[in-house]
Amino acid sequence: MNTINKFRKMQFSYLLLLSFLAFPSCERDDFQKLDERKWELVWSDDFNGTAGELPDASKWGFDLGTGQDGWGNQELQNYTNDPANVSLDGEGKLVITAIKSGNSFTSARIKTQGLFSQQYGRFEARLKTPYGPGLWPAFWMLGNNIETVGWPQCGEIDIMELRGQQPHIVHGTIHGPGYSGGNPVTKNYTLNNARFDTDFNIFAIEWDENKIDFFVNDYLYQRITPDDVPGEWVYDQPFFILLNVAVGGNYVGFPLPQTPFPQKMIIDYVRVYKKAS
C-alpha cells in the first residue's frame, strides 16, 4: 500500500512539473517595455524663489484679460499677473490660483511664447491639479506660427487637460486643421481609486517627426501618428508651452454653487529635453 502511494505521489509530482514547463506563468507585466530613449535636458524651471514672486520673466510671459469670446471657449475668468493668481510658494513650486469674487473669477495663464520654443523632444511637468465642476486646468502647447496662420492651422498639443468634475481623468489631445474644437484627436487616462488633485503626477509627451506619444507617470497611453489625423499634420515646427487654470467654458460648463474656491494648480517643475546624440 505504501509503495502504491509513493508511486502515485511521484506520478503527481511529475505531472505538476510538466504542467509548469508546458504552461509558463500567465502573470502580466506591471510595466511597459518601451524602446530605450535617451534625452538631454535643454530647458527647465524648478520654480525656486521667494514666496509671492511672479514666475521668472526670462522664461514666462502672461496672457491677460478675458480674451475674445472667453479665449474662444466662453470661459469666465479674467487672467491677471497678480501674485494672488500666480506666484511662487517659496518651496520650489509655482501656484496658479483661480479665485471667485461675487459672480466674477480671476486666474492666470502663463506661456513661453517669444522666450522658448522647440520642435520635437520630451516635454514634461510634475503637477497637482485643482478640482470641482467648472474648473479646467491645462498643460499644453501651441505652434509658434499662430500669429501668422492662426488657430487651428498652427496646431495645438494638450499634454494634460482635466474637467474638474472628473478629477480622476485627464485627456491628451491634438487640435489641427479639420480636427479641432469639439472634434479633436484625443484619448483619456483614468486613475483607479485615486485623483489627480490629491497628489503630484508627471504628464509628458515624446514627439518626433513620426508621432506624438502621451504619458502619465511614464505610462504610454496614447500614440498619435500622421495617419491618425483626418486633416493636415502640422506638428513639424517649434511649439511653445502654456500653463493655465480656466473657469467655465464650452469644455467644462459653468462652475456650480458647490464648486470650492479658491482652487490651485501646483506645479513642481516643467522640463524640456531633446534626443541625446
Side-chain angles (χ1 to χ4, degrees):
M1 188 67 180
N2 288 339
T3 301
I4 292 174
N5 283 339
K6 287 181 180 177
F7 178 71
R8 285 176 175 170
K9 287 182 179 177
M10 290 176 62
Q11 277 188 312
F12 178 76
S13 298
Y14 181 66
L15 290 172
L16 188 62
L17 175 62
L18 282 179
S19 70
F20 278 117
L21 293 174
F23 303 102
S25 171
C26 293
E27 289 184 7
R28 295 177 54 189
D29 293 333
D30 59 358
F31 60 91
Q32 290 178 313
K33 295 176 181 175
L34 302 176
D35 293 339
E36 183 180 6
R37 297 97 67 210
K38 292 184 178 179
W39 300 108
E40 178 182 341
L41 183 67
V42 295
W43 185 95
S44 66
D45 197 340
D46 292 326
F47 302 114
N48 294 316
T50 304
E53 284 185 351
L54 294 175
D56 186 343
S58 70
K59 296 180 178 180
W60 300 99
F62 296 90
D63 278 327
L64 301 173
T66 56
Q68 185 175 1
D69 190 28
W71 301 99
N73 301 299
Q74 299 185 344
E75 299 165 23
L76 303 176
Q77 79 289 331
N78 178 25
Y79 284 133
T80 83
N81 56 0
D82 187 328
N85 291 120
V86 55
S87 59
L88 307 181
D89 70 353
E91 298 178 352
K93 297 178 180 61
L94 175 72
V95 183
I96 297 178
T97 305
I99 298 171
K100 180 181 180 181
S101 179
N103 292 322
S104 62
F105 304 88
T106 57
S107 186
R109 174 161 134 170
I110 62 172
K111 59 184 182 180
T112 65
Q113 185 178 22
L115 299 170
F116 173 79
S117 63
Q118 181 170 297
Q119 179 180 353
Y120 306 144
R122 177 180 169 93
F123 299 71
E124 71 174 33
R126 182 175 185 266
L127 60 87
K128 185 190 298 186
T129 73
Y131 76 99
L135 271 297
W136 182 3
F139 166 44
W140 54 302
M141 303 200 301
L142 287 169
N144 251 3
N145 60 353
I146 188 171
E147 300 292 348
T148 55
V149 304
W151 184 92
Q153 184 64 42
C154 66
E156 175 181 327
I157 303 172
D158 300 327
I159 302 172
M160 183 288 299
E161 59 182 348
L162 173 144
R163 294 183 172 98
Q165 51 267 53
Q166 296 175 314
H168 61 298
I169 302 174
V170 293
H171 304 260
T173 303
I174 61 172
H175 298 264
Y179 49 101
S180 62
N183 186 38
V185 178
T186 185
K187 187 174 183 179
N188 63 51
Y189 177 88
T190 301
L191 286 179
N192 294 319
N193 304 315
R195 293 166 35 163
F196 287 104
D197 61 297
T198 59
D199 204 350
F200 286 92
N201 293 275
I202 299 173
F203 306 95
I205 62 161
E206 293 180 2
W207 168 32
D208 62 29
E209 61 271 27
N210 299 313
K211 64 183 181 302
I212 305 172
D213 285 345
F214 291 76
F215 296 84
V216 174
N217 297 326
D218 284 331
Y219 182 85
L220 172 62
Y221 72 95
Q222 175 176 218
R223 169 169 290 174
I224 302 175
T225 73
D227 292 336
D228 297 322
V229 302
E232 183 182 356
W233 181 262
V234 292
Y235 311 95
D236 49 8
Q237 57 148 332
F239 275 54
F240 63 90
I241 302 167
L242 303 97
L243 288 159
N244 70 290
V245 177
V247 180
N250 299 329
Y251 188 63
V252 293
F254 293 105
L256 302 176
Q258 297 81 13
T259 301
F261 284 96
Q263 278 293 312
K264 301 177 184 295
M265 180 160 74
I266 306 172
I267 303 105
D268 185 18
Y269 63 73
V270 179
R271 295 173 183 165
V272 181
Y273 304 81
K274 68 177 183 180
K275 281 187 177 178
S277 56

